[in-house]
Amino acid sequence: MEKYIINGGNKLHGEVSISGAKNAAVAILPAAVLSDEPCIIENVPNISDIDYIIKILLAIGAEVTMLNKSTLRIDPRRIHTPEVEYELAKKMRASYYFLGALLGKMGSARVSMPGGCDLGTRSIDQHLKGFNSLGAECSVEHGMIQVSAERLVGAHIYFDIVTVGATINVMLAAVKADGMTVIENAAKEPHIVDLANFLNSMGAEIMGAGTDVIKIRGVKSLHGAQYSIIPDQIEAGTFMVAAAATGGDILIKNVIPKHLESITVKLQKIGVHIEEFDDSIRVVGTGHLERANVKTMPHPGFPTDMQPQITTLLTLAEGTSIITESIYDSRFKYVDELRRMGADISVDGKVAVVEGVGRLMGAPVRATDLRAGAALIIAGLAATGTTEIEDIHHIERGYEDIEKKLRAIGADIKKVGVPERVLAQAL
Ligand code: EPU
């Protein structure tokens, strides 16, 4: 088992470059199966969730070649099965994008119920409602989700809630359906737009991605394309908070500042100095942090995937902050770990009240999920003394080389123990 050991107290200083967006990549790689020709995908993050997507692609018969550290060639011409087995699907949430992609390609798909971070109930009713509207029959039996259609026909779909996953899955299934699909109350996250841009570069006709109405005119076939994934909004946000928490001064490169706006505005309110450039952002911790209230919302609101990190920062502020989690039922599990480090936080359902304590103390802690793990790294960097973080496989699902990137900007962090991460075979 591996763990991170952090000796806190160093101010982060220097430049860090952001990798490709996890939540875009985990949709774009499955989308490549819809093509009739090979696709080349650049700026793919080197994280374990991508290893699993590659394993699934290989298992269904796609050819995957690594052209360099962050570029993949995916040849979908020999895909022979619409089934993704339990052992692969259970590793991650995004395995369910193979439902939409294989349904669109082959007219049917059988994928085991997905895994992913334990953040409370994570229903897939809107995915099934969307597939159903396109003419597919859906069932869940023995843990396998089965969808199949004689013919997919464009439809008008109104989602009951804003959901990233169902918006993406319906886009994947609808690109090759007959006629027009209209998705209302669609999610607007940057990775929805990135997926639409990728599909359009393959010949799809998707309009309105990034607004709450997406229109998809079905096309007969999709051709190969070369595409570069957007930078990771949440990785960038995590480094922004790390700079603020340590009173550091860092330049975060390869970002789209517009995607970071909700995070930037909140950090400015907390007292952090931020300068935006074309594709980079400078974050300077002023040493004084003000209290703030934060409510997570679908994009363009404050992202739930930054909630544990900002909560950690607010433990270092003066005064009482209120954090409201409005996306997930149970995204405060990490609070017990922060309490070990001296944080004063009470949680009642989806609301946390943070009494700023000004400083944290190093302690042994456990990453309860991906973003919780990132928050504990930030806590360890800001704390006095040594923090040991266990269960770091959660963190490696979504952050490329996080300890190397942090070390390069002055953090005292190292990874010890035997590697858990299984690299995708046959690359
Ligand atoms: N929901 C339903 N029914 C559905 C779909 C969703 O009730 O059919 C509910 C969920 O239970 C949840 C909420 O709607 O409470 C939001 O779910 P959504 O579909 O938007 O999220 P997701 O697709 O499961 C993706 C990211 C998450 C990120 C959310 C919100 C991937 C692989 N995962 O999850 O990323 O938190 O969107 O932005 O893209 C992370 O990166 O740490 C992470 C958890």
Side-chain angles (χ1 to χ4, degrees):
M1 201 176 66
E2 287 178 302
K3 55 186 174 184
Y4 290 135
I5 298 184
I6 303 171
N7 291 310
N10 291 4
K11 293 184 176 188
L12 300 184
H13 199 88
E15 294 184 359
V16 63
S17 186
I18 297 306
S19 303
K22 168 180 93 81
N23 289 345
V26 295
I28 284 175
L29 268 57
V33 314
L34 285 158
S35 170
D36 294 333
E37 294 169 348
C39 290
I40 292 178
I41 312 197
E42 298 165 359
N43 208 28
V44 179
N46 184 9
I47 53 177
S48 64
D49 265 12
I50 292 297
D51 294 346
Y52 284 109
I53 290 279
I54 293 172
K55 281 192 166 190
I56 295 175
L57 286 165
L58 294 169
I60 61 175
E63 231 173 66
V64 184
T65 320
M66 207 159 195
L67 301 181
N68 63 44
K69 186 174 168 282
S70 59
T71 306
L72 292 178
R73 179 180 184 275
I74 300 175
D75 184 345
R77 286 175 293 189
R78 298 225 176 94
I79 288 178
H80 51 73
T81 172
E83 178 156 337
V84 179
E85 62 177 67
Y86 171 71
E87 281 308 318
L88 290 172
K90 73 172 183 188
K91 302 285 188 190
M92 59 183 312
R93 195 84 202 144
S95 52
Y96 61 21
Y97 293 145
F98 284 94
L99 279 172
L102 290 168
L103 177 64
K105 184 181 184 73
M106 304 172 95
S108 73
R110 231 170 99 78
V111 178
S112 173
M113 286 295 268
C117 292
D118 178 9
L119 310 172
T121 326
R122 295 183 79 178
S123 167
I124 57 158
D125 58 323
Q126 301 301 303
H127 301 239
L128 302 185
K129 169 178 151 174
F131 295 145
N132 227 289
S133 305
L134 296 174
E137 285 191 12
C138 309
S139 61
V140 182
E141 280 170 28
H142 307 294
M144 296 296 282
I145 310 160
Q146 165 109 26
V147 290
S148 64
E150 293 262 306
R151 184 168 152 249
L152 290 167
V153 182
H156 201 109
I157 298 160
Y158 192 102
F159 284 131
D160 299 341
I161 48 159
V162 178
T163 141
V164 170
T167 302
I168 288 178
N169 244 336
V170 168
M171 283 166 71
L172 293 170
V175 274
K176 289 170 79 178
D178 290 343
M180 180 76 101
T181 297
V182 180
I183 306 175
E184 291 207 54
N185 202 22
K188 298 184 282 216
E189 268 65 7
H191 37 286
I192 304 274
V193 180
D194 209 33
L195 173 67
N197 288 342
F198 173 58
L199 289 166
N200 284 344
S201 73
M202 292 156 74
E205 291 188 31
I206 302 175
M207 293 137 289
T211 75
D212 49 17
V213 182
I214 299 179
K215 293 186 178 161
I216 305 161
R217 188 177 294 113
V219 294
K220 290 267 171 278
S221 63
L222 295 174
H223 53 75
Q226 181 156 355
Y227 191 79
S228 183
I229 291 172
I230 52 167
D232 197 301
Q233 172 204 24
I234 305 300
E235 187 196 4
T238 301
F239 277 98
M240 290 169 79
V241 174
T246 60
D249 178 353
I250 63 173
L251 184 71
I252 307 175
K253 300 197 316 190
N254 187 32
V255 298
I256 299 175
K258 180 85 190 146
H259 293 172
L260 301 173
E261 237 164 34
S262 62
I263 303 164
T264 301
V265 168
K266 193 56 77 178
L267 287 178
Q268 283 170 329
K269 170 129 198 337
I270 293 172
V272 182
H273 176 74
I274 296 177
E275 282 172 58
E276 287 179 6
F277 305 100
D278 287 348
D279 60 358
S280 60
I281 193 160
R282 181 177 171 214
V283 182
V284 186
T286 54
H288 178 77
L289 300 168
E290 300 267 352
R291 60 158 301 280
N293 294 340
V294 179
K295 183 172 185 180
T296 65
M297 296 289 278
H299 191 79
F302 191 88
T304 173
D305 295 344
M306 283 299 300
Q307 182 260 96
Q309 301 89 316
I310 201 101
T311 301
T312 301
L313 182 67
L314 289 168
T315 65
L316 303 167
E318 263 181 34
T320 307
S321 302
I322 297 176
I323 319 292
T324 309
E325 170 57 54
S326 59
I327 308 295
Y328 293 111
D329 303 339
S330 179
R331 204 172 200 172
F332 285 118
K333 294 205 178 95
Y334 64 91
V335 161
D336 281 342
E337 306 301 309
L338 281 183
R339 284 196 191 114
R340 290 167 178 275
M341 300 180 71
D344 179 353
I345 306 175
S346 53
V347 177
D348 185 3
K350 293 167 123 190
V351 178
V353 178
V354 181
E355 300 292 349
V357 288
R359 64 189 269 269
L360 295 170
M361 291 163 294
V365 290
R366 190 174 67 81
T368 49
D369 62 65
L370 167 59
R371 308 303 172 186
L376 292 171
I377 291 182
I378 293 168
L381 295 172
T384 51
T386 303
T387 298
E388 290 192 12
I389 306 178
E390 286 187 358
D391 286 347
I392 63 170
H393 60 275
H394 287 298
I395 303 172
E396 296 187 337
R397 286 189 33 220
Y399 289 90
E400 176 174 324
D401 290 339
I402 190 162
E403 87 282 7
K404 288 192 193 129
K405 289 188 184 186
L406 283 168
R407 250 197 327 270
I409 51 176
D412 182 347
I413 176 171
K414 66 180 174 199
K415 184 157 73 172
V416 296
V418 182
E420 285 164 63
R421 184 174 167 200
V422 185
L423 280 169
Q425 284 157 5
L427 285 180

